[in-house]
Amino acid sequence: MMVAARNRPMLRILGFFICAAFIYLTFRDLWLNHERKPKLGFVKRNGTQFVVDDMPLYVNGWNSYWFMAHAVDEQSRNLVGEMLEAGAKMGLTVCRTWAFNDGGYNALQISPGRFDERVFQALDHVIAEAKKHDVRLLLSLVNNLQAYGGKSQYVKWAWQEGVGLSSSNDSFFFDPSIRNYFKNYLKTLLTRKNSVTGIEYRNDPTIFAWELINEPRCTTDVSGKTLQDWIDEMTGYIKSIDDKHLLTVGLEGFYGPENPKRLTVNPEQWASALGSDFVQNSNSSNIDFASVHIYPDHWFHNQTFEEKLKFVVKWMQSHIEDGMKELKKPVLFTEFGLSNLNKDYEPSQRDKFYRIIFDVVYKSAKRRKAGAGTLVWQLFMEGMETFGDDFGIVPHEQDSIYKLMIEQSCRLAKVTGRRNEHKLKKLCSHRH
């Protein structure tokens, strides 16, 4: 009995070490993975290139405008994480989505200065999920179109409150009351403290950049002065609150009435009469990179598919040239798509269309030019057909497109030297 008693302290010590060893072996992989995961840095600009941690970044990404709308509802919230996971598995690095819903159903901003906390928490969830899947977000701040409120909702609010100067939707750009409404929204959003991560939006590197407005047009002032004044004021205001994030306008890319390219590059004459100008608007001192859309289906009505492809190459090369010579800034093609409603549409055309666009950006990246990447319009998940359109794709249902997008991720990663990063290394080595 005395021997057993003497051994008790030793047995306790031995038991402690066995327990500690068990805990270590059980949780070692979690600790190592946590340590391996590098701290996310802000995307910055170095001349005509995006850079992260002093390494170039070329974007292969997508649009899923619907994230916040689906995150509001418990039953559909899982689709956000599933879409981000699917994107990450293709090596996609940036997703563009709406950070606005003004008035109407499940509005983020119910009326000027009044916000629905439930919807804000949905946006918090979107940002937290993106961080979890190593995807950055390009967040758009208001719509030129009526969907999800847009500038027409702001004009309606001013009219209802008896302070509106005009019932024209373009008064969004020049009415002092409406400008104040929008500034209040910007301040609330930028300084929002995420309820999931505890990080203010303006301090969160998960956000790739802010997009001021989706596809701005101001047809009541074709000269472009009204829109330019608004861009200068609002971008200055954003930078006064948040100087960490990149900022873009959200342009379609049309050349205005004073730009000679209106005659040689614009799709048709109407494109120079929209009150915007790609070079002038993108040259604003607070704008970090230019944005361009590619929709020959919407811009032409009598062109053959082959003619559309020729236009796309010319359109892209013209804007990359502007980025190099005029702007000295990156050019990101933030929306592109081919409609499946075209009379002569065949699925193989979409493959060819994507390939042409990816090739232009890849060649630009290899030569260190200003073509900084692309964002497909748009990706969604199974069972979401009501949120889809004639451009939308469920990635794993379109095998050829799925493979094309992975190939582009790997090509761009090789150019930048990022191919050895853990996820890309696995993805790209498996591909070969």
Side-chain angles (χ1 to χ4, degrees), residues 277-341:
D277 178 77
F278 172 73
V279 174
Q280 183 187 16
N281 299 154
S282 303
N283 226 354
S284 186
S285 60
N286 291 309
I287 292 299
D288 298 294
F289 66 96
S291 46
V292 185
H293 292 180
I294 310 171
Y295 286 116
D297 296 332
H298 284 179
W299 300 343
F300 298 103
H301 300 291
N302 300 312
Q303 280 201 342
T304 64
F305 176 67
E306 293 301 324
E307 286 172 331
K308 288 174 185 175
L309 290 184
K310 286 178 184 175
F311 166 79
V312 165
V313 174
K314 182 181 179 182
W315 178 253
M316 292 181 74
Q317 288 176 342
S318 172
H319 288 85
I320 290 170
E321 179 186 62
D322 294 334
M324 294 298 292
K325 295 179 180 177
E326 301 281 341
L327 304 171
K328 296 174 175 55
K329 298 176 182 181
V331 178
L332 186 61
F333 297 92
T334 51
E335 286 189 30
F336 72 90
L338 185 74
S339 173
N340 60 15
L341 297 180

Side-chain angles (χ1 to χ4, degrees), residues 4-5 49 128 137 163 197 236 251 256 263 324 350 386-387:
Q49 288 186 318
L137 298 174
V163 295
T197 66
L251 297 164
L263 301 172
M324 294 298 292
R350 194 172 268 175
T386 54
F387 281 79

